[in-house]
Amino acid sequence: MAVNSFREDEYMENTDKKKILSRLLSYLLDYKLAIAGVLVCMGITVGISLVNPLLIEEAIDHYIAQSDFKGLIALGIFALALNVLFIILVKVRMYSMSVISNKILLKIRQDLYEHIQTLSFSFFDSRPTGKILARIIGDVNSLKDVLTNMVTTLIPEFITVIGVVVIMMVKDWRLALASLSTIPIMIAGIFLVQKISHKRWQIYRKKSSNLNAYVHEDIAGMNVVQSFGAEDETKEIFENLTDEHRNAFVDAVIFADMFGPVIDFCWGIGAMMLYLVGIRFLGFEKVSVGLLVAFGSYINMFWNPIMNLSNFYNNLVTNLTAAERIFDILDTEPDITDADDVEELPEVKGEVTFSHVGFTYDRGTPAETKVLEDVNFVVKPGETIALVGPTGAGKTTIVNLISRFYDIEQGKILIDGYDLTKVSMNSLRRQMGVMTQDNFIFHGTVKDNILYGKLDATDEEVIEAAKLTAAHSFIKRLPHGYDTLLENDGANLSQGQRQLLNIARAAVADPAILLLDEATSNIDTRSEILIQKGLDQLMQGRTSLIIAHRLSTIRNADMILVLERGQIVERGTHEELLRMKGKYFSLNQEQFR
């Protein structure tokens, strides 16, 4: 799938509709027993509907013609009992399929969500969050009618059509052929309509995705919009996207609504042919009134299911694009996976080795960017290594590669001598404490957010981690302490408090390796002093890699690596690098100046 924003339609490859339908049906097979019960109900109801015209023919030609009112009443009671049973079974069928379809939707959404969580960062980097949400929520919801109607409409209506044709041919093949003479016209018309309609529904889904992506992005960045007074500009963009969305929908519906007129036209001509042949060419001496009335009912019973089937087909064409978009993600293979022969990484001491490592973002695309080239360094267990350099030098990339959020293209990364590609990602990441620049706060309590570092941590461990990282004092001042509910992305906390909370989250995991990306950025001087003390305690006995723009925070690092354009240009302690009077010296002078 191509990289795109809300301004661009998502690229979708043409897919085999039969395969899409087959995959949807596979979800139904998980409920064989329940669907078997629904099919039994449908079989009985279809049988009753096919018998009704025969009962009418019997009533007219025998009981009414012979003035047998007692027999007519008995036949009416029998017909009433059958149709009461018909109504009950229809309700049971509808309820059962509603339960089954909702369970299937839950399963599809769960499969989709679980699969998305296995995808690597490159997947999320390449598209707005809103477009992913559109598939998880909107596209999955749109499948409900398709799944339900596959059983409750497709099967019974198809059986009804076959049954009606058989009965009509048995009763009088000439009337049957006259009634069904317009079927070729109907088939040609429906094929043409669906061909045009499906493409337009694909466009509509893409426009829905664009709109969803923009709304999500705009709401997430509302503070920026309001700060720069960009409400009018965003309003104009929103109006343009909604216009595109509306126009795509109208364009699709115009063609989708042609199914009904095609069926109505063929239905009307078929009814005319029935009475023309029955009365004009055959005459009442060969066609009884009861038979003609019964055929009138049967032709309605034929075309009414055809109309329902065309509506189902219309619904299928409308929502098949949603299934295509869902399976498009389910078929997206994760860029980073555990190999079949991976082993569990044992408890590590914390030695990190980069050997001739090279890495490129968006490799093979027009946006290809070389970030690291021939990077070599070794971090001994318990050492603290600092990474400094200008923006875009590759510092954050190094941290992400150690966590194996991306896979390197050249060289090797080793932890205690274990190649990262040869051990399971779960056993690797659970031994690391990671704090990135994107210090995301989840909606929940303060304690819930710290627990993300270690889900089974006790209250005492949570408090200890907060104390260690200087977060405890501000947490105690919150209205409900550790049980204070945090707003969206921690909006009711200061930037510095959010930073402290994220460091506490890393600390509670008690990791062997600490990866700190701008851990002390956006924090006032007093908080920086407190957090630095906490970090010093936290890093005792642990391998730590620190990215920092404030050089004052890394003076005590065992080694400082200076990066520029993806390469290590200087390395050494703070004092050694100052004596070199190179890049690090210049950075230091600029900050103090």
Side-chain angles (χ1 to χ4, degrees):
M1 292 179 288
V3 176
N4 58 79
S5 69
F6 66 84
R7 296 180 178 86
E8 302 166 281
D9 292 341
E10 294 171 285
Y11 171 75
M12 290 287 297
E13 294 182 358
N14 291 325
T15 52
D16 189 337
K17 298 180 184 65
K18 292 179 181 178
K19 289 182 179 179
I20 296 295
L21 282 173
S22 176
R23 290 181 71 170
L24 284 176
L25 284 170
S26 68
Y27 283 94
L28 288 169
L29 296 178
D30 292 335
Y31 301 90
K32 296 185 188 73
L33 191 60
I35 290 177
V38 171
L39 292 175
V40 169
C41 291
M42 287 192 302
I44 297 172
T45 55
V46 168
I48 293 173
S49 65
L50 291 173
V51 166
N52 277 333
L54 297 177
L55 295 177
I56 294 173
E57 180 186 3
E58 183 71 13
I60 293 173
D61 288 349
H62 292 87
Y63 295 104
I64 294 176
Q66 298 175 14
S67 300
D68 184 358
F69 294 107
K70 186 179 288 186
L72 183 63
I73 292 171
L75 185 65
I77 293 172
F78 176 70
L80 178 63
L82 276 182
N83 284 278
V84 168
L85 178 62
F86 176 89
I87 293 170
I88 293 172
L89 292 179
V90 165
K91 295 293 183 183
V92 170
R93 181 187 78 187
M94 291 174 63
Y95 174 78
S96 299
M97 275 312 302
S98 179
V99 171
I100 292 170
S101 62
N102 279 305
K103 287 182 177 179
I104 291 174
L105 288 187
L106 184 63
K107 178 71 166 59
I108 292 175
R109 183 173 285 119
Q110 188 70 26
D111 288 349
L112 187 59
Y113 181 73
E114 288 179 2
H115 181 71
I116 284 174
Q117 290 197 105
T118 69
L119 299 177
S120 52
F121 277 18
S122 58
F123 173 84
F124 302 98
D125 293 341
S126 66
R127 72 212 67 226
T129 304
K131 290 196 175 187
I132 301 173
L133 290 175
R135 301 200 189 197
I136 297 175
I137 306 300
D139 290 343
V140 172
N141 286 342
S142 65
L143 294 180
K144 182 175 182 180
D145 289 341
V146 173
L147 290 167
T148 302
N149 292 335
M150 270 188 183
V151 178
T152 60
T153 298
L154 182 62
I155 296 174
E157 302 294 20
F158 183 74
I159 293 174
T160 299
V161 167
I162 298 299
V164 165
V165 171
V166 170
I167 292 173
M168 289 171 73
M169 294 297 287
V170 170
K171 298 293 286 184
D172 194 305
W173 64 270
R174 294 162 299 183
L175 292 179
L177 292 178
S179 303
L180 307 177
S181 59
T182 54
I183 287 180
I185 300 174
M186 176 202 71
I187 293 173
I190 286 180
F191 176 79
L192 182 62
V193 170
Q194 75 85 23
K195 192 83 171 174
I196 300 172
S197 179
H198 180 69
K199 292 180 180 178
R200 280 158 175 76
W201 282 117
Q202 284 183 324
I203 295 172
Y204 166 70
R205 291 285 173 194
K206 293 174 182 177
K207 299 302 180 185
S208 297
S209 187
N210 291 347
L211 181 59
N212 198 75
Y214 179 72
V215 170
H216 179 273
E217 183 178 293
D218 189 53
I219 292 174
M222 188 56 67
N223 59 334
V224 178
V225 172
Q226 294 182 353
S227 297
F228 288 92
E231 290 88 348
D232 290 340
E233 182 181 351
T234 56
K235 176 185 175 184
E236 183 180 348
I237 295 172
F238 180 77
E239 287 176 349
N240 291 336
L241 290 172
T242 51
D243 285 345
E244 290 179 3
H245 182 257
R246 180 198 62 218
N247 294 338
F249 178 75
V250 171
D251 195 25
V253 166
I254 287 173
F255 285 92
D257 285 349
M258 291 300 294
F259 279 98
V262 169
I263 301 297
D264 287 337
F265 174 79
C266 296
W267 188 341
I269 298 299
M272 289 173 57
M273 294 298 295
L274 166 66
Y275 293 112
L276 179 64
V277 171
I279 298 172
R280 176 72 175 171
F281 295 106
L282 298 180
F284 285 109
E285 65 276 5
K286 294 183 179 179
V287 180
S288 67
V289 174
L291 180 61
L292 204 57
V293 171
F295 257 83
S297 297
Y298 277 126
I299 196 170
N300 287 334
M301 286 184 65
F302 174 82
W303 286 106
N304 198 51
I306 291 293
M307 177 65 81
N308 291 337
L309 287 172
S310 72
N311 289 335
F312 167 72
Y313 190 61
N314 188 15
N315 181 260
L316 185 63
V317 169
T318 301
N319 294 305
L320 201 60
T321 52
E324 287 175 329
R325 287 160 54 83
I326 290 168
F327 293 136
D328 180 49
I329 287 187
L330 286 173
D331 291 339
T332 300
E333 294 294 334
D335 294 337
I336 301 172
T337 56
D338 287 336
D340 294 335
D341 58 346
V342 295
E343 56 183 316
E344 291 294 299
L345 181 65
E347 187 174 334
V348 299
K349 295 177 181 178
E351 182 178 84
V352 179
T353 304
F354 268 55
S355 176
H356 303 289
V357 172
F359 178 75
T360 302
Y361 283 113
D362 300 318
R363 187 171 37 167
T365 72
E368 180 174 299
T369 306
K370 187 75 173 178
V371 182
L372 297 178
E373 186 172 354
D374 198 29
V375 173
N376 297 276
F377 64 86
V378 177
V379 188
K380 297 297 183 182
E383 282 189 342
T384 297
I385 301 297
L387 306 173
V388 300
T391 300
K395 303 182 298 295
T396 299
T397 301
I398 287 176
V399 170
N400 287 334
L401 291 177
I402 295 172
S403 303
R404 209 182 165 207
F405 293 139
Y406 301 93
D407 264 343
I408 59 175
E409 61 193 65
Q410 296 167 354
K412 284 185 178 182
I413 300 177
L414 308 173
I415 303 290
D416 282 11
Y418 289 88
D419 189 330
L420 295 194
T421 61
K422 306 297 183 183
V423 298
S424 72
M425 287 184 287
N426 186 50
S427 65
L428 168 70
R429 291 172 183 170
R430 69 167 175 251
Q431 300 196 58
M432 293 187 177
V434 182
M435 181 188 167
T436 67
Q437 298 176 62
D438 304 318
N439 46 7
F440 189 83
I441 301 295
F442 293 93
H443 184 78
T445 66
V446 170
K447 184 171 73 174
D448 291 337
N449 271 274
I450 296 176
L451 282 172
Y452 261 91
K454 183 183 177 184
L455 295 176
D456 60 348
T458 63
D459 290 350
E460 290 74 19
E461 288 176 313
V462 169
I463 294 171
E464 186 61 32
K467 287 180 177 178
L468 188 64
T469 55
H472 180 72
S473 57
F474 93 79
I475 293 173
K476 293 302 291 181
R477 292 195 299 270
L478 294 175
H480 304 289
Y482 286 85
D483 294 319
T484 300
L485 189 65
L486 300 179
E487 296 174 5
N488 183 42
D489 200 15
N492 51 338
L493 298 178
S494 70
Q495 184 67 22
Q497 289 172 333
R498 292 168 63 197
Q499 206 97 346
L500 289 167
L501 200 58
N502 274 276
I503 296 173
R505 179 190 295 166
V508 78
D510 192 22
I513 300 173
L514 279 172
L515 305 174
L516 305 174
D517 189 349
E518 297 297 335
T520 57
S521 63
N522 302 315
I523 295 177
D524 59 77
T525 305
R526 182 173 180 277
S527 295
E528 182 180 347
I529 294 170
L530 290 173
I531 198 171
Q532 197 59 52
K533 289 181 179 178
L535 284 173
D536 289 341
Q537 288 180 286
L538 181 62
M539 292 187 292
Q540 286 294 322
R542 293 185 174 89
T543 301
S544 304
L545 279 87
I546 305 172
I547 297 175
H549 282 114
R550 294 187 188 181
L551 302 185
S552 60
T553 63
I554 57 169
R555 288 183 175 183
N556 297 325
D558 296 298
M559 182 168 61
I560 299 171
L561 304 179
V562 183
L563 281 88
E564 189 173 65
R565 296 180 182 178
Q567 294 181 314
I568 298 174
V569 293
E570 292 178 1
R571 67 181 75 201
T573 64
H574 175 72
E575 290 77 15
E576 289 170 348
L577 292 173
L578 287 180
R579 287 196 294 269
M580 289 181 190
K581 294 188 180 295
K583 296 289 183 183
Y584 183 81
F585 178 82
S586 299
L587 289 172
N588 190 71
Q589 291 296 102
E590 287 175 11
Q591 287 201 8
F592 277 99
R593 188 179 303 123

